[in-house]
Amino acid sequence: MNFWRTIRRSNFVIRLSSWEYWPFGIVQFPAIIYWLWLSLRARSLVFFSAANPGIPMGGMFGESKYDILQKIPLQYIPVTIKIESVSSVDSIIAVIRKAGLQLPVIFKPDIGERGYQVKRINCADEIPGYLRAIRGPFLIQELIEEPLEFGVFYLRFPGDVKGAVISLVGKEMLSVTGDGTSTLLQLIMKNDRAKLQLDVLKTVFQAELGSVVETGKRLELVSIGNHARGTRFINASHLINEPLSRTFDVISANIPGFYFGRFDLRCASLDALYEGRVKILELNGCGAEPAHIYDKEFTLWKAFHELIRHWDNIFQIALANKARGVEFVTLRDGLEFYRRFKDAVK
């Protein structure tokens, strides 16, 4: 009995039983085939570069998070500082203070993906380790602690004044709730999502692992809203309405050359979301996934359908922009841009 339970709760079986954890290439395989077909039709493997002319490569990969944030009106973004090269801890602290921030803050690479090297820095003692690990420019971002985090996917066709929000995903950060008898380590081991993050959590919570968590106390384990880091994605598309789309029409109209992508943001309430009282943590272009597909209720086949629709939207917008005079990036330039991107995230 215990043997079979151990097998069922192994990381391998947990990952196997939920396609959310499957390798990127398997989940994206039908979309990759469709991209090749669309490339033949467009006569360019990098036609997506024209979907968002204001973002390098249309935001498919390798874009600077900082440069994109600078295109968004200031009232919608957190205070964000770009550090061009690794500095001393004292100089980093000085920069943070000069910007009017205080710890904790978020450190993240300027170029990265899927939560790569994004970390909440709680105290100065955590800075040296980050500086040793990071390669290339990185961002220091104000920690926004509003209770709700969403991914808002927006689309507008070139020439149109109005667009639409086509996907809305809520994010539930990885956490455990105490029962008054279990230690933190035991609670982690009982939670499938947390168990998959065990190696990282052992380092972060090293001193607390043996402590019993009191009954009803909710302890957030990871504050980064990425499903690769244990965050649960919840399909909230039923909350999409006309006011939401109009709000993101207003925001997007102020972002030159942007037509298609996902706003990752925090806000205080649904009303705040609808009214645009939000803080946009990142804006991702064509490379952003319609993240609502990672809801546990989504079947793999339904996810395939959404990914195909995603690529069809990119194709239609890119062709519409090309008809308006936007040229596709050459394949040679696209490959060079991709090479620099892969070097940055090694």
Side-chain angles (χ1 to χ4, degrees):
M1 184 71 173
N2 287 338
F3 171 77
W4 289 113
R5 184 177 184 281
T6 299
I7 294 296
R8 286 197 305 272
R9 301 249 21 261
S10 68
N11 286 0
F12 174 78
V13 172
I14 291 171
R15 292 182 184 278
L16 184 65
S17 62
S18 178
W19 66 265
E20 172 189 354
Y21 303 117
W22 292 5
F24 179 85
I26 294 177
V27 176
Q28 295 286 338
F29 183 74
I32 292 171
I33 297 300
Y34 193 55
W35 159 64
L36 291 172
W37 164 240
L38 295 177
S39 296
L40 285 174
R41 293 174 60 188
R43 299 183 179 181
S44 170
L45 285 170
V46 290
F47 65 85
F48 48 77
S49 62
N52 290 312
I55 305 175
M57 296 305 296
M60 181 59 71
F61 50 76
E63 68 277 13
S64 163
K65 299 178 188 296
Y66 183 80
D67 288 351
I68 295 175
L69 282 176
Q70 299 316 295
K71 297 175 183 290
I72 302 172
L74 285 176
Q75 68 264 33
Y76 299 116
I77 63 173
V79 175
T80 305
I81 310 156
K82 183 177 181 180
I83 305 298
E84 292 287 355
S85 59
V86 174
S87 306
S88 68
V89 174
D90 288 343
S91 65
I92 293 294
I93 293 294
V95 167
I96 291 172
R97 289 175 177 167
K98 184 177 180 180
L101 299 179
Q102 58 184 10
L103 300 175
V105 292
I106 298 295
F107 281 24
K108 64 174 72 173
D110 186 40
I111 298 174
E113 59 181 358
R114 303 175 74 85
Y116 169 75
Q117 287 192 330
V118 179
K119 185 176 181 181
R120 173 174 170 154
I121 300 295
N122 296 293
C123 63
D125 290 344
E126 295 178 357
I127 296 177
Y130 193 87
L131 297 182
R132 287 193 296 269
I134 192 67
R135 293 184 58 199
F138 67 97
L139 308 183
I140 300 173
Q141 192 170 74
E142 175 187 4
L143 177 65
I144 304 299
E145 297 191 279
E146 298 289 11
L148 301 181
E149 182 163 341
F150 290 100
V152 180
F153 216 114
Y154 174 84
L155 170 153
R156 186 178 78 258
F157 286 97
D160 291 352
V161 175
K162 294 183 178 180
V165 172
I166 58 173
S167 166
L168 182 65
V169 62
K171 300 181 182 183
E172 184 181 280
M173 302 303 166
L174 182 62
S175 64
V176 293
T177 302
D179 57 14
T181 59
S182 300
T183 65
L184 176 56
L185 179 58
Q186 290 170 332
L187 292 173
I188 290 171
M189 295 303 291
K190 292 175 185 177
N191 182 310
D192 285 352
R193 303 187 78 84
K195 186 172 179 288
L196 293 178
Q197 305 294 323
L198 182 60
D199 289 344
V200 173
L201 296 177
K202 277 184 174 180
T203 300
V204 175
F205 293 96
Q206 184 176 6
E208 298 101 319
L209 289 174
S211 301
V212 173
V213 182
E214 63 186 74
T215 302
K217 180 179 179 181
R218 179 180 176 274
L219 180 62
E220 186 172 279
L221 302 176
V222 178
S223 56
I224 306 301
N226 189 288
H227 75 94
R229 304 283 291 272
T231 300
R232 187 164 77 93
F233 283 9
I234 302 167
N235 180 18
S237 294
H238 62 284
L239 299 175
I240 296 173
N241 57 20
E242 187 71 12
L244 183 65
S245 290
R246 296 295 73 83
T247 288
F248 281 86
D249 278 338
V250 172
I251 295 174
S252 299
N254 289 286
I255 306 173
F258 171 74
Y259 296 94
F260 184 79
R262 191 186 70 226
F263 297 86
D264 292 328
L265 57 84
R266 277 189 175 264
C267 56
S269 65
L270 278 177
D271 285 343
L273 176 66
Y274 292 141
E275 294 166 9
R277 290 183 281 112
V278 302
K279 287 296 183 181
I280 298 166
L281 311 178
E282 287 188 12
L283 171 57
N284 297 284
C286 293
E289 295 174 294
H292 69 284
I293 66 174
Y294 290 107
D295 187 297
K296 64 179 181 179
E297 301 302 324
F298 253 70
T299 65
L300 182 58
W301 296 111
K302 192 174 179 181
F304 285 162
H305 174 79
E306 289 293 296
L307 291 170
I308 294 298
R309 184 169 71 115
H310 175 82
W311 271 102
D312 196 55
N313 284 329
I314 293 173
F315 179 73
Q316 297 297 335
I317 293 172
L319 288 192
N321 272 327
K322 190 172 192 299
R324 293 162 64 90
V326 178
E327 294 297 328
F328 299 152
V329 168
T330 66
L331 179 58
R332 182 174 184 174
D333 287 345
L335 290 173
E336 176 59 22
F337 197 89
Y338 183 74
R339 183 192 65 77
R340 293 198 303 268
F341 160 63
K342 296 309 289 185
D343 285 345
V345 299
K346 278 183 180 177

